[in-house]
Amino acid sequence: MLSVVRAEVHAATLADNCLVRNDWVCPLYVQTRAEELWDGTLQHLYITGMSLLIGVLISVPLAVFAHEWRRARRLTLGVSTALYTIPSLAMFSLLLPFLGLSAATTITGLVVYSLTILVRNLLVGLDNVDDDVRDAARGMGFGRFGMLRKVEAPLALPAAFAGLRVAAVSTIALTTVGALVGYGGLGNIMLRGVQANFKAEVLTSSVLSVVLAVVADFLLLGLQRLLVPWQRAGA
Amino acid sequence: MGWLADTVAWLLDGANWSGSAGVLTLLRQHLLLTLAALAVACVISLPLAIWLGHIGRGGVLAVQLTNIGRAVPVLAVLVVLVVAGSPFGFSGLTPVTAFTLFAIPPIVTNTYVGMREVDRGAVEAARGMGMTGWQTVRRVELPLAAPLILNGIRLSATQLVATVSIAALAAFGGLGRVITLGFANQDVGQVVAGALLIALLALAVEALFDLLGRLIDPGRRVAASSLQVPVVSTEP
C-alpha cells in the first residue's frame, strides 16, 4: 500500500521524459549534454589527428629506408608486427610510468599501432612499382633519389592512401581505449555511461565514434580522388 | 624508476597469484573466455565462409565484415551490451556474445579469401576427375586454403586476447582486471605488471599459432610471409 503511494508521489514529482525513463535514444540527453559530447568529440579528433600526423611523419622515412635496405626491411616488419600484437590496454599501461595520465600516453600508443599499418602499405606501394618503369626512369637519367621522388612515390600513392584510411579508421576506434588514462575522447563518455548505467550516454557516444570513423574514411577517399585522379580508388 | 621495483615486487609476491582475484584465476578466466568465443566464432564462421568461398558468392559481404569490425570500437560494443544486460538474466552470456562478435570477421574474411585463392586449375582438375562438390571442398580446396584459414583463426585469437583485456574496463573479468585494480589502488607497479602479463599472453598465443602454421604448411609459405606484407585486419 505504502509503496503504491510512494510510486504515485514519485511519478507526480518527476517529469516523464526520456532521461527519467533511461531510454536508449534521448534527444533531451543530446540537448542538455551537448557541451560534454562536443568536448569528447574534439578530444577524440585531436588525439586521432596527432597520432596519424606523427605516424605519417615517422612511417614515410622508415618505409623508404626499409625499401632500400633489405635488412632494415626484415627488422622493421618484424618489430612492427610484434608491437601490433600487444593489446591496446597493455600498451597504454606500459606507457603510463613514462608519460603519466596524459594525452601523450594515448597518442604514443596509437602512433605505434598506426606505424605498423602505414609502413606496410607504403612498402606494398613501393614494391609494386613496375620494374620496366624503373628501368625507363633509369634510362632517362633519374638518380636514386630522383626516381624515388618523381617516379616511385607518385605510383605508391594509392596504396599509401589505402593504408592511411585503414590507419585512420582503426585509430579512431582505438582512441576509445585511452579512457583508461582519462584521455579517450568519446571513450571517456562511454565509460562514464556504463558506470552510471546510462543508456542514452552509452549509445550516443558509441554511435558518434562510429560516425567519426565513417566520415574520416569518406573524407580521405575524397582527398585521394583529388590527389590521385588518374587512379580510381579501390578498397 | 620506483615503479620498476614495484612491478617486480608485485609479480614476485605469491599473494597476488592466488585467491579469487589472483593472477591464476584471472588468467583462467581470460583463457576460458577467449577459447569459448573462439570456438563459437569458428562454429558460426567456418561453415558459412567455406560454403560462400566454394560457390564464389557473397565476397563483398565477407570482405566488408572486416571493414565494419575495424570501424566499430570494441569498447563501444562492450558498453552497449553491458548496459543492455543479458536477456536471459545470466551475466556470463554477455561477455561471450560480445567477444564472439569480434572473433567472427577475421575468420570469415580469411577463410573466404583462402577458398577463392585456390588455383582454379586445381578445382577444374578435381571436377574433371569426377569429384563431387563436397569431395572437391574436402580434398582440394580445404587443404590448399588451410594456411589462410589458420591465419584467420590466429588473427581472431590475437584480437580476442586484446578484446578480453579491454573488457575489464567495462567491469568484466580476465587479466585486464589486474590493470583496472592497479588504477583503483593507484599502484603503477601493479598496472605495469598486468600489462606485462597481457602482452606476454598475446605473444604466446602468436607463437603458438606460428608453430601450428609450420606444422600444417612446413617451410614454403612461412619463408615467403616474412618478406611479404600481410594485411592488418584486427584491432589490438
Side-chain angles (χ1 to χ4, degrees), chain B residues 91-104:
Chain B
S91 58
L93 225 50
T94 307
V96 176
T97 313
F99 301 146
T100 303
L101 286 179
F102 290 102
I104 287 175

Side-chain angles (χ1 to χ4, degrees), chain A residues 211-230:
Chain A
V211 168
L212 283 189
V214 173
V215 169
D217 193 42
F218 194 72
L219 288 179
L220 283 172
L221 184 68
L223 189 65
Q224 179 181 357
R225 294 215 164 139
L226 271 179
L227 289 177
V228 200
W230 62 89

